[in-house]
Amino acid sequence: SLTGAVNAKFQWFGEQSTWTTALDVREEVIQSNRLGSAQPGAPEVFPLGDRRTNLDGFTSWKWVNSGNNMAISATAGVNGNSRFGWRALPSADVRYRFGQDGNWVAFASAGRSVRHPSFTELYYTVGGAMGSDSLKPEWADQAEVGVRWSSEPNGFRYWIMVEGSAFVRSGENLIDWVKYLGSEVYQATNLSATEFRGGDLAMTIKSMSGLLRSVRLSGTWLDANRESEGAESVYVLNFLKYKLDAVTEWKLPSDVGLAIRYSYQERPAEETPAPIHLLGLTLKRSWGSDSHIHTSFRVENVLDQQYMDLGQVLQPGMHFRLGLTFDIRGIKPSSN
Protein backbone atom coordinates (compact mmCIF):
# COMPACT_ATOMS: atom_id res chain seq x y z
CA SER A 1 0.00 0.00 0.00
CA LEU A 2 1.06 3.59 -0.63
CA THR A 3 -0.54 6.71 0.78
CA GLY A 4 0.51 10.25 -0.06
CA ALA A 5 -1.07 13.45 1.21
CA VAL A 6 -0.74 17.20 0.94
CA ASN A 7 -2.50 19.49 3.39
CA ALA A 8 -2.62 23.20 4.12
CA LYS A 9 -4.27 25.44 6.71
CA PHE A 10 -4.84 29.18 6.93
CA GLN A 11 -6.07 31.03 10.02
CA TRP A 12 -7.11 34.60 10.58
CA PHE A 13 -7.35 35.86 14.18
CA GLY A 14 -9.67 38.75 14.96
CA GLU A 15 -10.38 40.43 18.27
CA GLN A 16 -13.17 38.01 19.19
CA SER A 17 -13.39 35.64 16.25
CA THR A 18 -11.16 33.22 14.34
CA TRP A 19 -11.52 32.00 10.75
CA THR A 20 -9.89 28.76 9.65
CA THR A 21 -9.68 27.25 6.18
CA ALA A 22 -8.03 23.87 5.59
CA LEU A 23 -7.59 21.43 2.72
CA ASP A 24 -6.28 17.85 2.67
CA VAL A 25 -5.75 15.87 -0.56
CA ARG A 26 -4.88 12.20 -0.15
CA GLU A 27 -4.02 9.48 -2.69
CA GLU A 28 -4.47 5.84 -1.61
CA VAL A 29 -2.96 3.02 -3.70
CA ILE A 30 -2.95 -0.73 -3.04
CA GLN A 31 -1.38 -3.70 -4.84
CA SER A 32 -2.35 -7.15 -3.60
CA ASN A 33 -2.95 -10.81 -4.35
CA ARG A 34 -6.32 -10.59 -2.53
CA LEU A 35 -7.67 -7.04 -2.60
CA GLY A 36 -8.69 -5.08 -5.68
CA SER A 37 -9.44 -5.76 -9.32
CA ALA A 38 -7.14 -7.01 -12.10
CA GLN A 39 -4.51 -4.43 -13.06
CA PRO A 40 -2.88 -4.54 -16.54
CA GLY A 41 0.91 -4.73 -16.28
CA ALA A 42 0.89 -5.51 -12.55
CA PRO A 43 3.58 -7.85 -11.17
CA GLU A 44 2.61 -11.53 -11.04
CA VAL A 45 2.80 -11.72 -7.25
CA PHE A 46 0.42 -8.73 -6.90
CA PRO A 47 -1.99 -8.94 -9.85
CA LEU A 48 -4.80 -7.00 -8.13
CA GLY A 49 -5.02 -3.40 -7.04
CA ASP A 50 -7.02 -0.23 -6.65
CA ARG A 51 -6.51 3.48 -6.11
CA ARG A 52 -8.59 6.47 -5.12
CA THR A 53 -8.19 10.15 -4.37
CA ASN A 54 -9.83 11.75 -1.33
CA LEU A 55 -10.29 15.46 -0.64
CA ASP A 56 -11.36 17.01 2.66
CA GLY A 57 -11.85 20.74 2.98
CA PHE A 58 -13.55 23.05 5.44
CA THR A 59 -13.99 26.66 6.49
CA SER A 60 -14.88 27.34 10.11
CA TRP A 61 -15.70 30.38 12.19
CA LYS A 62 -15.33 30.62 15.97
CA TRP A 63 -16.53 33.51 18.11
CA VAL A 64 -15.88 34.12 21.83
CA ASN A 65 -17.59 37.00 23.61
CA SER A 66 -15.67 39.58 25.60
CA GLY A 67 -16.50 37.92 28.92
CA ASN A 68 -15.23 34.54 27.66
CA ASN A 69 -18.40 32.85 28.91
CA MET A 70 -19.86 32.06 25.50
CA ALA A 71 -18.26 30.45 22.44
CA ILE A 72 -19.94 29.60 19.14
CA SER A 73 -18.42 27.88 16.13
CA ALA A 74 -19.76 26.80 12.75
CA THR A 75 -18.05 24.74 10.06
CA ALA A 76 -18.85 24.21 6.39
CA GLY A 77 -17.01 21.08 5.29
CA VAL A 78 -16.93 19.04 2.11
CA ASN A 79 -15.61 15.59 1.23
CA GLY A 80 -14.90 14.44 -2.28
CA ASN A 81 -13.78 10.97 -3.34
CA SER A 82 -12.88 9.83 -6.85
CA ARG A 83 -14.95 6.67 -6.38
CA PHE A 84 -17.78 7.75 -4.09
CA GLY A 85 -18.52 11.35 -5.09
CA TRP A 86 -19.12 14.48 -3.03
CA ARG A 87 -20.83 15.19 0.30
CA ALA A 88 -21.38 18.29 2.39
CA LEU A 89 -20.33 18.03 6.04
CA PRO A 90 -21.74 20.91 8.12
CA SER A 91 -21.31 21.20 11.89
CA ALA A 92 -21.85 23.69 14.71
CA ASP A 93 -21.36 23.85 18.46
CA VAL A 94 -21.97 26.29 21.30
CA ARG A 95 -20.68 26.55 24.87
CA TYR A 96 -22.05 28.83 27.59
CA ARG A 97 -20.57 29.33 31.08
CA PHE A 98 -22.88 30.61 33.81
CA GLY A 99 -23.43 30.68 37.57
CA GLN A 100 -22.12 33.06 40.20
CA ASP A 101 -18.59 31.69 39.91
CA GLY A 102 -18.87 30.51 36.32
CA ASN A 103 -18.72 26.90 37.46
CA TRP A 104 -21.62 25.74 35.27
CA VAL A 105 -21.10 25.02 31.58
CA ALA A 106 -23.82 24.10 29.09
CA PHE A 107 -22.82 22.79 25.67
CA ALA A 108 -24.45 21.55 22.49
CA SER A 109 -23.20 20.37 19.11
CA ALA A 110 -24.50 18.96 15.84
CA GLY A 111 -22.82 17.75 12.68
CA ARG A 112 -22.53 15.24 9.88
CA SER A 113 -19.78 12.66 9.27
CA VAL A 114 -18.94 10.27 6.44
CA ARG A 115 -16.82 7.10 6.17
CA HIS A 116 -15.84 5.37 2.94
CA PRO A 117 -15.51 1.57 2.70
CA SER A 118 -11.96 0.32 3.20
CA PHE A 119 -10.23 -1.85 0.59
CA THR A 120 -10.73 -4.81 2.96
CA GLU A 121 -14.48 -4.22 3.17
CA LEU A 122 -14.68 -3.94 -0.61
CA TYR A 123 -12.63 -6.94 -1.67
CA TYR A 124 -11.71 -9.36 1.17
CA THR A 125 -12.79 -12.97 0.47
CA VAL A 126 -10.71 -15.13 2.83
CA GLY A 127 -11.46 -17.15 5.99
CA GLY A 128 -15.23 -17.15 5.91
CA ALA A 129 -15.59 -13.45 5.07
CA MET A 130 -16.86 -11.92 1.86
CA GLY A 131 -16.39 -8.26 1.00
CA SER A 132 -18.59 -6.37 -1.44
CA ASP A 133 -17.37 -3.96 -4.12
CA SER A 134 -20.88 -2.48 -4.28
CA LEU A 135 -20.69 -0.98 -0.78
CA LYS A 136 -21.75 2.64 -0.42
CA PRO A 137 -20.20 5.18 1.97
CA GLU A 138 -21.86 5.46 5.36
CA TRP A 139 -22.87 8.82 6.76
CA ALA A 140 -24.53 9.99 9.93
CA ASP A 141 -26.08 13.09 11.48
CA GLN A 142 -25.42 13.46 15.19
CA ALA A 143 -26.35 15.93 17.94
CA GLU A 144 -25.44 16.24 21.62
CA VAL A 145 -26.48 18.45 24.53
CA GLY A 146 -25.03 18.45 28.01
CA VAL A 147 -24.12 20.33 31.16
CA ARG A 148 -21.04 20.29 33.42
CA TRP A 149 -20.53 21.55 36.97
CA SER A 150 -17.17 21.99 38.68
CA SER A 151 -16.44 23.04 42.26
CA GLU A 152 -12.93 24.29 41.49
CA PRO A 153 -13.72 28.03 41.48
CA ASN A 154 -15.23 27.77 44.96
CA GLY A 155 -11.99 26.61 46.58
CA PHE A 156 -13.47 23.44 48.07
CA ARG A 157 -11.16 21.00 49.83
CA TYR A 158 -12.06 18.48 47.15
CA TRP A 159 -12.26 19.22 43.45
CA ILE A 160 -15.55 17.85 42.14
CA MET A 161 -16.79 17.65 38.57
CA VAL A 162 -20.17 16.32 37.44
CA GLU A 163 -21.14 16.05 33.78
CA GLY A 164 -24.17 14.72 31.96
CA SER A 165 -25.05 14.62 28.28
CA ALA A 166 -27.54 13.08 25.87
CA PHE A 167 -26.96 12.35 22.20
CA VAL A 168 -28.60 10.99 19.08
CA ARG A 169 -26.98 9.59 15.93
CA SER A 170 -28.96 8.86 12.79
CA GLY A 171 -26.99 6.82 10.26
CA GLU A 172 -27.53 5.77 6.64
CA ASN A 173 -25.82 2.88 4.82
CA LEU A 174 -23.82 1.94 7.93
CA ILE A 175 -21.09 -0.53 6.96
CA ASP A 176 -21.16 -3.80 8.88
CA TRP A 177 -20.07 -7.44 8.64
CA VAL A 178 -23.06 -9.72 9.22
CA LYS A 179 -23.68 -13.48 9.23
CA TYR A 180 -27.22 -14.40 8.24
CA LEU A 181 -29.10 -17.25 9.87
CA GLY A 182 -28.01 -20.57 8.37
CA SER A 183 -24.86 -19.15 6.79
CA GLU A 184 -21.24 -19.62 7.87
CA VAL A 185 -19.95 -16.61 5.93
CA TYR A 186 -19.67 -13.03 7.19
CA GLN A 187 -20.68 -10.56 4.48
CA ALA A 188 -19.89 -6.88 4.22
CA THR A 189 -23.11 -4.96 3.75
CA ASN A 190 -24.80 -1.57 4.16
CA LEU A 191 -27.49 -1.48 6.81
CA SER A 192 -30.65 0.55 6.27
CA ALA A 193 -31.31 3.70 8.29
CA THR A 194 -30.42 3.16 11.95
CA GLU A 195 -30.85 5.60 14.82
CA PHE A 196 -28.91 5.45 18.08
CA ARG A 197 -29.84 7.32 21.25
CA GLY A 198 -27.90 7.44 24.46
CA GLY A 199 -26.46 9.39 27.33
CA ASP A 200 -23.43 9.81 29.56
CA LEU A 201 -23.17 10.66 33.25
CA ALA A 202 -19.86 11.07 35.07
CA MET A 203 -18.58 12.34 38.40
CA THR A 204 -14.96 12.93 39.43
CA ILE A 205 -13.70 13.74 42.94
CA LYS A 206 -10.04 14.58 43.57
CA SER A 207 -8.07 15.35 46.72
CA MET A 208 -4.47 16.48 47.21
CA SER A 209 -4.13 14.76 50.59
CA GLY A 210 -5.15 11.57 52.36
CA LEU A 211 -5.06 7.93 51.34
CA LEU A 212 -7.78 8.11 48.67
CA ARG A 213 -6.76 10.66 46.03
CA SER A 214 -9.45 10.38 43.37
CA VAL A 215 -12.70 8.65 42.49
CA ARG A 216 -14.32 8.63 39.05
CA LEU A 217 -17.72 7.10 38.37
CA SER A 218 -19.19 7.09 34.88
CA GLY A 219 -22.02 5.44 33.04
CA THR A 220 -23.09 5.25 29.40
CA TRP A 221 -26.38 4.08 27.95
CA LEU A 222 -26.97 3.40 24.25
CA ASP A 223 -29.87 1.94 22.31
CA ALA A 224 -30.82 1.49 18.66
CA ASN A 225 -34.17 1.52 16.89
CA ARG A 226 -33.50 -1.87 15.30
CA GLU A 227 -32.07 -5.29 16.18
CA SER A 228 -29.93 -7.68 14.17
CA GLU A 229 -33.12 -9.45 12.95
CA GLY A 230 -31.82 -12.98 12.37
CA ALA A 231 -28.31 -11.92 11.42
CA GLU A 232 -25.24 -11.72 13.66
CA SER A 233 -23.76 -8.22 13.55
CA VAL A 234 -20.02 -7.87 14.11
CA TYR A 235 -19.84 -4.10 14.59
CA VAL A 236 -22.81 -1.76 14.16
CA LEU A 237 -25.46 -3.57 16.25
CA ASN A 238 -22.98 -5.25 18.59
CA PHE A 239 -22.58 -2.09 20.68
CA LEU A 240 -22.24 -1.62 24.42
CA LYS A 241 -25.79 -1.04 25.63
CA TYR A 242 -24.76 -0.31 29.21
CA LYS A 243 -21.28 0.52 30.46
CA LEU A 244 -20.51 1.44 34.06
CA ASP A 245 -16.97 2.33 35.15
CA ALA A 246 -15.44 3.05 38.54
CA VAL A 247 -11.82 4.10 39.00
CA THR A 248 -10.16 4.90 42.33
CA GLU A 249 -6.59 6.09 42.89
CA TRP A 250 -4.81 5.70 46.21
CA LYS A 251 -1.49 6.94 47.61
CA LEU A 252 0.10 4.22 49.75
CA PRO A 253 3.17 4.45 52.00
CA SER A 254 6.60 4.80 50.34
CA ASP A 255 5.01 6.92 47.55
CA VAL A 256 3.40 3.87 45.96
CA GLY A 257 0.33 4.60 43.89
CA LEU A 258 -2.54 2.14 43.55
CA ALA A 259 -5.31 2.31 40.96
CA ILE A 260 -8.36 0.03 41.06
CA ARG A 261 -10.56 -0.13 37.95
CA TYR A 262 -13.94 -1.83 37.58
CA SER A 263 -16.10 -1.99 34.45
CA TYR A 264 -19.55 -3.48 33.89
CA GLN A 265 -20.35 -4.03 30.20
CA GLU A 266 -23.58 -5.28 28.68
CA ARG A 267 -24.31 -5.73 24.98
CA PRO A 268 -27.70 -6.45 23.36
CA ALA A 269 -28.95 -9.90 24.45
CA GLU A 270 -29.10 -11.29 20.91
CA GLU A 271 -25.39 -10.51 20.44
CA THR A 272 -23.82 -11.30 23.84
CA PRO A 273 -26.27 -12.84 26.35
CA ALA A 274 -24.27 -12.37 29.57
CA PRO A 275 -22.82 -9.09 30.88
CA ILE A 276 -19.18 -9.02 31.89
CA HIS A 277 -17.39 -7.68 34.96
CA LEU A 278 -13.80 -6.49 34.47
CA LEU A 279 -11.46 -5.68 37.36
CA GLY A 280 -7.95 -4.28 37.04
CA LEU A 281 -5.23 -3.22 39.47
CA THR A 282 -2.12 -1.08 38.96
CA LEU A 283 0.78 -0.44 41.34
CA LYS A 284 3.20 2.32 40.35
CA ARG A 285 6.10 4.25 41.82
CA SER A 286 8.57 6.90 40.70
CA TRP A 287 12.28 6.72 41.52
CA GLY A 288 15.31 9.00 41.50
CA SER A 289 15.91 12.46 42.91
CA ASP A 290 13.90 13.97 40.07
CA SER A 291 11.35 11.11 39.84
CA HIS A 292 12.42 10.44 36.25
CA ILE A 293 12.19 6.63 36.50
CA HIS A 294 8.69 5.14 36.65
CA THR A 295 7.83 1.51 37.30
CA SER A 296 4.41 -0.13 37.17
CA PHE A 297 2.83 -3.53 37.69
CA ARG A 298 -0.63 -4.12 36.21
CA VAL A 299 -3.05 -7.00 36.64
CA GLU A 300 -5.80 -7.01 34.01
CA ASN A 301 -9.05 -9.00 34.07
CA VAL A 302 -8.51 -10.11 37.66
CA LEU A 303 -11.81 -12.04 37.63
CA ASP A 304 -10.61 -14.04 34.61
CA GLN A 305 -13.70 -13.26 32.53
CA GLN A 306 -13.98 -15.00 29.15
CA TYR A 307 -15.52 -12.57 26.68
CA MET A 308 -15.38 -11.20 23.17
CA ASP A 309 -14.90 -7.56 22.32
CA LEU A 310 -16.11 -5.64 19.28
CA GLY A 311 -15.52 -7.61 16.08
CA GLN A 312 -15.86 -11.01 17.80
CA VAL A 313 -12.26 -10.80 19.05
CA LEU A 314 -11.66 -13.12 22.00
CA GLN A 315 -10.00 -11.22 24.85
CA PRO A 316 -7.36 -12.67 27.20
CA GLY A 317 -8.18 -13.86 30.69
CA MET A 318 -6.21 -12.63 33.70
CA HIS A 319 -2.83 -11.31 32.56
CA PHE A 320 0.01 -9.16 33.87
CA ARG A 321 2.05 -6.23 32.61
CA LEU A 322 5.33 -4.81 33.85
CA GLY A 323 6.30 -1.28 32.84
CA LEU A 324 9.50 0.77 33.03
CA THR A 325 9.68 4.36 31.81
CA PHE A 326 12.76 6.60 31.84
CA ASP A 327 11.85 10.29 31.45
CA ILE A 328 14.86 12.38 30.37
CA ARG A 329 12.81 15.56 30.78
CA GLY A 330 12.72 14.85 34.52
CA ILE A 331 16.52 15.16 34.88
CA LYS A 332 17.84 18.52 35.99
CA PRO A 333 21.02 19.67 34.17
CA SER A 334 24.23 19.60 36.13
CA SER A 335 25.55 22.92 37.44
CA ASN A 336 29.13 21.95 36.51
Side-chain angles (χ1 to χ4, degrees):
S1 63
L2 174 65
T3 301
V6 177
N7 54 70
K9 182 172 72 172
F10 171 79
Q11 284 188 297
W12 178 84
F13 298 93
E15 186 173 340
Q16 291 180 246
S17 61
T18 302
W19 286 90
T20 303
T21 297
L23 181 68
D24 181 278
V25 181
R26 186 174 303 270
E27 182 79 2
E28 300 173 345
V29 183
I30 189 170
Q31 285 185 293
S32 175
N33 64 340
R34 292 291 185 181
L35 308 180
S37 56
Q39 301 293 306
E44 183 178 353
V45 67
F46 294 130
L48 307 178
D50 199 356
R51 68 187 307 152
R52 61 192 185 192
T53 303
N54 190 77
L55 181 147
D56 283 300
F58 71 87
T59 297
S60 69
W61 167 79
K62 181 177 181 179
W63 173 83
V64 180
N65 70 344
S66 57
N68 197 33
N69 64 329
M70 174 175 280
I72 301 174
S73 66
T75 300
V78 64
N79 173 265
N81 189 279
S82 58
R83 175 166 181 165
F84 300 108
W86 294 84
R87 279 174 174 78
L89 304 174
S91 65
D93 62 79
V94 59
R95 171 188 57 82
Y96 179 65
R97 186 181 299 276
F98 61 99
Q100 183 176 357
D101 299 305
N103 53 348
W104 287 90
V105 177
F107 54 90
S109 64
R112 174 173 292 180
S113 61
V114 65
R115 185 177 81 84
H116 303 302
S118 67
F119 291 131
T120 301
E121 291 164 335
L122 290 169
Y123 299 115
Y124 194 74
T125 57
V126 181
M130 181 179 297
S132 172
D133 60 4
S134 62
L135 286 176
K136 301 175 182 179
E138 68 175 27
W139 60 271
D141 292 323
Q142 51 260 337
E144 180 185 25
V145 294
V147 64
R148 180 187 309 117
W149 175 80
S150 171
S151 68
E152 189 174 20
N154 295 329
F156 288 0
R157 177 184 174 186
Y158 300 99
W159 180 83
I160 305 173
M161 189 276 290
V162 180
E163 179 176 333
S165 64
F167 54 87
V168 59
R169 181 174 185 263
S170 180
E172 291 277 354
N173 297 325
L174 299 180
I175 300 170
D176 197 6
W177 290 86
V178 300
K179 183 170 68 172
Y180 295 100
L181 188 64
S183 174
E184 295 299 323
V185 177
Y186 286 96
Q187 302 178 40
T189 187
N190 289 113
L191 299 183
S192 57
T194 306
E195 183 175 280
F196 297 90
R197 295 178 180 270
D200 293 298
L201 186 63
M203 179 178 68
T204 302
I205 304 175
K206 291 186 178 181
S207 173
M208 297 302 295
S209 61
L211 182 65
L212 179 59
R213 292 303 177 91
S214 72
V215 177
R216 177 174 173 79
L217 304 173
S218 62
T220 301
W221 161 81
L222 183 64
D223 201 6
N225 65 346
R226 60 176 296 176
E227 298 179 352
S228 51
E229 301 169 356
E232 181 182 338
S233 170
V234 176
Y235 295 108
V236 176
L237 300 178
N238 188 19
F239 53 87
L240 284 176
K241 189 171 184 178
Y242 300 107
K243 187 174 188 291
L244 304 176
D245 294 308
V247 180
T248 60
E249 295 187 352
W250 308 73
K251 187 170 183 181
L252 305 181
S254 301
D255 292 327
V256 175
L258 169 65
I260 304 175
R261 303 174 302 280
Y262 169 77
S263 180
Y264 170 90
Q265 301 178 11
E266 182 179 335
R267 298 184 183 273
E270 63 272 14
E271 302 296 339
T272 306
I276 61 171
H277 304 266
L278 300 178
L279 182 65
L281 306 173
T282 300
L283 288 170
K284 56 185 178 180
R285 192 185 191 282
S286 298
W287 308 81
S289 58
D290 299 303
S291 299
H292 58 277
I293 300 176
H294 312 279
T295 55
S296 64
F297 173 69
R298 295 170 62 103
V299 186
E300 304 287 1
N301 197 358
V302 174
L303 303 178
D304 200 26
Q305 293 273 284
Q306 299 298 307
Y307 70 102
M308 290 187 178
D309 204 351
L310 188 66
Q312 305 296 319
V313 178
L314 182 64
Q315 299 300 296
M318 185 171 61
H319 56 286
F320 309 91
R321 298 182 184 182
L322 291 172
L324 174 63
T325 304
F326 183 79
D327 186 2
I328 61 175
R329 293 174 299 177
I331 304 177
K332 296 179 180 179
S334 172
S335 58
N336 296 330

